[in-house]
């Protein structure tokens, strides 16, 4: 891996960029965590209305039996403005990138590992659907929140641990998920808030980039000025030593 550590009698390989996991002898069981890149927010390049928060990257956590060989590890990039995050993959399993937040003024959130939140202004806008749970690899992902419905506030992006709330619910991104057996307390795959603050489980606050190597969606932001991107993904592998 890009780095290694020993945690509670297990060797942990941590890939924060593309690489190769190699087994030179023997065979055995490994636990793998694969996190896709987070989606961007959907605000406009000008004006005042905010786009939706980005959806968190999908999360796959599986046990596998592996033998001798070299295994490619791919880390998905965070989504650039109004784009989904990139897919992460290892051992034939794919964690899908999070959906971008809906574009101002009348945009639905994109579908993705977790769905993006919808944009401000039109209260019929819908959050994107989570595509990770029904994918070949299965895994974690939830829908983004919709606009309103009785106000015009944007929705939060979905997260691995829960759906994004709608505008009436504050537009908070969905919670991420922790996997502390890998020796980190990070919340992975959290959604971005829809131009607001709140949430304590990895959610990206409004007008912020998703944290790198967490798969977090970007926080929604009003039009004009800086645009915000999703956080890159990650792959972690652990086995008993």
């Amino acid at each position: 891996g890009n780095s290694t550590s020993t945690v509670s009698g297990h060797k942990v390989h941590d890939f924060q960029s593309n690489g190769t996991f190699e087994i030179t002898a023997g065979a055995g069981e490994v636990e793998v965590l694969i996190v896709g890149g987070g989606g961007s927010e959907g605000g406009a390049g000008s004006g005042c209305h905010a786009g939706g928060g980005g959806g968190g990257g999908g999360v796959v956590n599986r046990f596998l039996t592996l033998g001798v060989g070299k295994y490619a590890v791919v880390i998905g990039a965070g989504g650039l403005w109004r784009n989904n995050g990139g897919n992460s993959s290892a051992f034939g399993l794919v964690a899908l990138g999070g959906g971008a937040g809906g574009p101002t003024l009348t945009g639905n959130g994109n579908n993705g590992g977790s769905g993006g939140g919808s944009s401000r202004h039109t209260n019929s806008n819908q959050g994107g659907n989570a595509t990770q749970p029904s994918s070949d690899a299965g895994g974690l992902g939830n829908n983004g929140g919709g606009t309103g419905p009785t106000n015009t506030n944007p929705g939060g992006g979905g997260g691995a641990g829960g759906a994004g709330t709608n505008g009436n619910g504050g537009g908070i991104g969905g919670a991420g998920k922790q996997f502390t057996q890998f020796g980190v307390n990070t919340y992975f795959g959290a959604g971005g808030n829809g131009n607001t603050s709140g949430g304590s489980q990895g959610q990206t606050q409004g007008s912020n980039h998703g944290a790198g190597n967490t798969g977090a969606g970007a926080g929604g932001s009003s039009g004009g000025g800086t645009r915000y991107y999703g956080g890159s993904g990650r792959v972690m592998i652990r086995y008993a030593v």
Side-chain angles (χ1 to χ4, degrees), residues 182-218:
F182 289 91
V184 295
N185 292 318
T186 304
Y187 284 94
F188 291 106
N193 292 346
N195 194 31
T196 189
S197 59
S200 59
Q201 294 175 291
Q203 292 95 333
T204 305
Q205 304 304 297
S207 300
N208 278 277
H209 299 296
N213 295 118
T214 71

Side-chain angles (χ1 to χ4, degrees), residues 54-201:
V59 175
V60 177
N61 179 218
R62 296 269 292 273
F63 288 90
L64 304 170
T65 299
L66 301 176
V68 171
K70 294 182 178 181
Y71 300 89
V73 174
V74 176
I75 304 301
L80 301 181
W81 182 45
R82 292 186 171 176
N83 279 276
N84 286 14
N87 298 341
S88 296
S89 62
F91 315 117
L93 302 172
V94 179
L96 301 171
T104 309
L105 288 167
T106 58
N108 297 328
N110 282 5
N111 298 338
S114 282
S118 64
S119 76
R120 188 180 176 191
H121 190 269
T122 302
N123 60 15
S124 60
N125 293 343
Q126 300 296 309
N129 294 321
T131 55
Q132 187 65 53
S134 61
S135 71
D136 290 345
L140 303 174
N142 286 280
N143 295 345
T147 306
T150 61
N151 60 30
T152 61
N153 293 333
T165 67
N166 62 21
N168 279 45
I172 305 300
K177 289 282 287 185
Q178 290 180 304
F179 298 87
T180 56
Q181 67 269 38
F182 289 91
V184 295
N185 292 318
T186 304
Y187 284 94
F188 291 106
N193 292 346
N195 194 31
T196 189
S197 59
S200 59
Q201 294 175 291

